[in-house]
């Protein structure tokens, strides 16, 4: 068993989830592919599992993702109203820019935006617990935009 698997076993136990092969597999897959893909739909994960000849079904993928979200391991986003995507809950205080043509998502951090959000919350008598900021636009260079027609 690898160190990452040991860490994942501890993580699952610490959030009260039973350690199962599908949970460990899906968590490891999201960690291993994070560099290439930060936001995963259930279908994305299922396709990768099929490529790896896993017998984990789509219903199990949905169930595990929902359990991970409830346990705080994942964060759910609805960048596109029709499709939920998930990301590992490892980096706090980042926001997203989404291309309305191709759906590509860029993450960014800006200390000034973070500071202003806290200031605005305090001005309204609120202590900011969490936030999500989505900016929508269009890729400036259409030749590099992964438009839906190209997919």
């Amino acid at each position: 068993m690898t160190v990452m698997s040991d860490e994942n076993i501890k993580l699952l136990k610490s959030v009260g989830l039973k350690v199962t092969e599908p949970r460990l597999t899906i968590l490891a897959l999201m960690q291993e592919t994070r560099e290439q893909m930060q936001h995963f739909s259930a279908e994305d994960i299922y396709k990768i599992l099929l490529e790896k000849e896993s017998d984990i079904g789509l219903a199990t993928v949905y169930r595990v993702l929902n359990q991970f979200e409830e346990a705080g391991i994942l964060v759910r986003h609805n960048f596109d109203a029709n499709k939920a995507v998930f990301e590992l809950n490892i980096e706090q205080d980042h926001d997203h820019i989404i291309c309305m043509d191709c759906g590509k998502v860029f993450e960014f951090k800006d200390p000034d935006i973070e500071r202003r959000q806290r200031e605005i919350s305090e001005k309204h008598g609120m202590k900011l617990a969490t936030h999500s900021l989505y900016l929508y636009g269009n890729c400036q260079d259409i030749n590099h935009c992964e438009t839906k027609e190209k997919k």
Side-chain angles (χ1 to χ4, degrees):
M1 193 170 291
T2 65
V3 174
M4 182 174 11
S5 292
D6 288 342
E7 290 173 8
N8 286 345
I9 288 169
K10 288 178 189 171
L11 174 61
L12 291 176
K13 287 180 178 179
S14 74
V15 296
L17 290 174
K18 185 176 171 188
V19 176
T20 65
E21 185 267 332
R23 288 181 181 142
L24 287 173
T25 300
I26 292 169
L27 184 56
L29 183 144
M30 293 184 78
Q31 292 166 333
E32 291 164 8
T33 57
R34 176 141 172 45
E35 289 295 314
Q36 299 86 21
M37 186 183 305
Q38 293 157 342
H39 304 92
F40 299 83
S41 69
E43 292 80 10
D44 293 332
I45 292 172
Y46 182 63
K47 272 197 289 193
I48 296 168
L49 290 169
L50 284 177
E51 290 168 9
K52 294 179 177 260
E53 299 181 4
S54 170
D55 61 355
I56 298 172
L58 184 57
T60 300
V61 172
Y62 275 105
R63 190 169 44 256
V64 168
L65 292 177
N66 286 325
Q67 291 165 344
F68 283 179
E69 179 195 12
E70 289 173 14
I73 295 171
L74 299 180
V75 175
R76 177 192 303 256
H77 297 285
N78 289 13
F79 299 134
D80 176 352
N82 301 324
K83 184 174 161 185
V85 294
F86 299 85
E87 71 177 317
L88 292 167
N89 190 12
I90 52 177
E91 281 195 50
Q92 295 298 324
D93 294 334
H94 71 274
D95 298 299
H96 301 90
I97 301 174
I98 302 100
C99 176
M100 295 186 304
D101 291 324
C102 67
K104 187 167 181 145
V105 178
F106 302 90
E107 292 184 352
F108 70 95
K109 294 180 184 180
D110 186 306
D112 292 332
I113 290 174
E114 298 302 321
R115 178 184 49 77
R116 285 293 295 139
Q117 289 176 108
R118 283 189 303 277
E119 289 172 359
I120 291 167
S121 297
E122 289 169 9
K123 178 181 172 187
H124 292 283
M126 302 290 288
K127 182 175 192 252
L128 189 61
T130 184
H131 78 278
S132 59
L133 175 64
Y134 304 151
L135 303 175
Y136 293 88
N138 303 95
C139 293
Q140 288 184 336
D141 184 351
I142 196 67
N143 294 324
H144 290 99
C145 182
E146 300 168 6
T147 60
K148 293 175 183 166
E149 292 79 40
K150 292 180 187 176
K151 289 184 178 179

